[in-house]
Amino acid sequence: MHNRNSTLILTVTLAILLAFGSMAFAESKIVLKPKIDSFAYFVDTSPSMSQSYGSTGSPKIIAGLNALKRLNNVVPELGYDSALYAMPDFSTYSPKATFSRSAMASGLASIPSDLPFFQSTPMGEGFANLDKVVAKWQGKFAVIFVSDGLTNSGRNPARVVSDMVKKYGDRFCLHIISVADTPRGKANLKHLSSMTPCGVYVDATDLADKAILDKFAQDVFYTQEEELIVEIVEEVVVPPVVPVQEKIVFRNFNFGFDKYKITDEMVPALTEAASMLDEYPNLKVMVGGHTDSSGSEAYNQGLSERRAKSVADWLAANGVAPERLQVKGYGELNPKYDNKTKEGRKLNRRVEIDVEE
């Protein structure tokens, strides 16, 4: 499974030549990291989905599929697996495979919109059948369920989902795209989405808004992380030498709330950083500490300094000459992510290692 820790990565590309001087150039870019290893679109094709959806004038199944198609168009291809299923007669419209937007679009186009009129809606059985499939999946997975929330026979869907939560724990996220137009349907779907802590509920019509659509996609599928690329170009003496390209990766370190001490989880990355600095003895770095916006500005300034010092002290104690390390605390003044969100605050509680020269 992909690493889900929200660490920032600083990539430094060095052109190592026979040299007497250097110039440095830097640029940053945003990199998308998957939150999950696999996901399934799960579509309700029961009779009530043929009814008109609110003021749209379209059947619920059409409104739901259109919302899912809009979502599919913005889901980045990050190597996770995907599948497409429908209920109540459990059917596979796209078998589990590496996600491809075009392949999934074909699967979505094959789901019928002309639904049977006389048929029960055993939503609980639909989730029970889905459970048999995802039981074979490895790692963390998400289910994106499109429905009006109405069920009239068979097992209670909330009980089936509750059993799935007990079985899979935090590996399982249930998200809802709702075409519900009754209080009971909306209540059922909101309850289902709340049964997994990571679950997100959204109305199908709201996904016509690009901002809401992009946020839903990010909440379900990926995180954004920043890479800073620094290229150091050395002056060459004659005779010219063929450049040797080497890549150094300094991993930034994220701290828990109000924490500044080094944890066991940080040691492998710190060891890697110390080894890289040992390999390039002329490289100097700035160790910068940061916080989220919780607490007072004065307290956060001190906390950021303690975080930066703990990382610098560890490096110095493990072979890096202290004169190569500059330490600075930035407090809450340089957030890179939104402090209004839990994930943004987590990413802002960080120590960065930046190349100085």
Side-chain angles (χ1 to χ4, degrees):
M1 173 178 171
H2 302 286
N3 184 359
R4 295 296 178 265
N5 293 327
S6 300
T7 57
L8 299 178
I9 298 177
L10 172 62
T11 303
V12 183
T13 303
L14 297 177
I16 307 298
L17 309 175
L18 294 177
F20 289 105
S22 65
M23 296 180 63
F25 305 91
E27 62 177 290
S28 63
K29 64 178 180 179
I30 297 297
V31 177
L32 306 186
K33 303 288 184 180
K35 284 185 175 179
I36 52 177
D37 296 282
S38 51
F39 70 89
Y41 294 146
F42 191 33
V43 182
D44 182 354
T45 58
S46 58
S48 63
M49 292 289 285
S50 64
Q51 298 171 2
S52 178
Y53 176 45
S55 61
T56 66
S58 300
K60 296 175 186 176
I61 184 64
I62 297 296
L65 287 174
N66 285 343
L68 206 51
K69 290 173 183 177
R70 285 193 289 270
L71 174 64
N72 192 65
N73 286 336
V74 300
V75 176
E77 297 177 349
L78 298 178
Y80 25 54
D81 288 338
S82 66
L84 172 61
Y85 307 112
M87 58 141 294
D89 293 332
F90 193 82
S91 303
T92 301
Y93 289 92
S94 183
K96 187 169 180 280
T98 301
F99 173 66
S100 159
R101 279 192 295 269
S102 59
M104 185 58 74
S106 297
L108 289 169
S110 67
I111 293 182
S113 56
D114 186 13
L115 305 179
F117 186 75
F118 296 104
Q119 187 180 20
S120 61
T121 307
M123 186 185 297
E125 294 302 321
F127 273 100
N129 288 324
L130 178 68
D131 182 27
K132 296 174 184 177
V133 173
V134 300
K136 303 174 185 177
W137 291 10
Q138 301 296 315
K140 190 169 184 177
F141 64 92
V143 174
I144 299 90
F145 183 45
V146 180
S147 175
D148 62 359
L150 299 180
T151 180
N152 58 18
S153 67
R155 301 166 63 184
N156 184 332
R159 291 183 181 176
V160 179
V161 172
S162 177
D163 289 341
M164 293 176 69
V165 172
K166 292 176 183 176
K167 182 188 299 185
Y168 305 117
D170 60 6
R171 292 178 49 217
F172 169 44
C173 293
L174 176 59
H175 309 287
I176 302 295
I177 297 178
S178 170
V179 289
D181 57 359
T182 66
R184 181 166 66 91
K186 290 182 179 180
N188 286 341
L189 293 177
K190 288 182 177 180
H191 179 56
L192 290 178
S193 70
S194 70
M195 296 182 73
T196 59
C198 47
V200 180
Y201 174 97
V202 67
D203 288 314
T205 51
D206 289 343
L207 293 183
D209 184 311
K210 185 63 164 57
I212 296 175
L213 178 66
D214 289 340
K215 185 178 186 306
F216 183 77
Q218 183 171 348
D219 288 342
V220 173
F221 297 101
Y222 64 92
T223 60
Q224 295 188 49
E225 299 180 3
E226 187 177 41
E227 287 187 355
L228 179 65
I229 302 174
V230 180
E231 184 176 5
I232 302 175
V233 181
E234 303 281 353
E235 295 178 5
V236 185
V237 298
V238 291
V241 209
V242 177
V244 177
Q245 295 292 330
E246 297 191 16
K247 181 177 285 186
I248 297 179
V249 178
F250 286 119
R251 300 186 186 278
N252 289 346
F253 309 96
N254 289 87
F255 289 77
F257 178 75
D258 200 26
K259 304 296 183 184
Y260 64 90
K261 293 184 178 180
I262 300 299
T263 63
D264 291 343
E265 289 78 9
M266 295 180 184
V267 170
L270 282 166
T271 303
E272 181 184 22
S275 176
M276 294 170 187
L277 290 170
D278 182 61
E279 187 174 352
Y280 298 100
N282 294 325
L283 199 65
K284 294 183 179 180
V285 295
M286 168 69 76
V287 182
H290 303 264
T291 73
D292 62 25
S293 59
S294 304
S296 69
E297 184 175 330
Y299 181 81
N300 285 335
Q301 178 61 36
L303 179 58
S304 70
E305 292 170 1
R306 291 192 291 276
R307 285 174 176 166
K309 186 175 185 300
S310 68
V311 170
D313 286 349
W314 192 100
L315 293 172
N318 287 269
V320 180
E323 59 269 21
R324 299 176 60 193
L325 305 170
Q326 296 188 52
V327 179
K328 185 174 182 179
Y330 295 89
E332 63 185 65
L333 300 181
N334 287 339
K336 288 191 174 180
Y337 294 88
D338 188 354
N339 274 314
K340 295 180 181 179
T341 68
K342 180 178 179 180
E343 184 171 344
R345 291 191 296 273
K346 178 181 178 182
L347 291 174
N348 283 332
R349 298 193 293 265
R350 68 195 190 278
V351 166
E352 299 177 341
I353 300 178
D354 294 312
V355 174
E356 284 293 287
E357 58 177 73

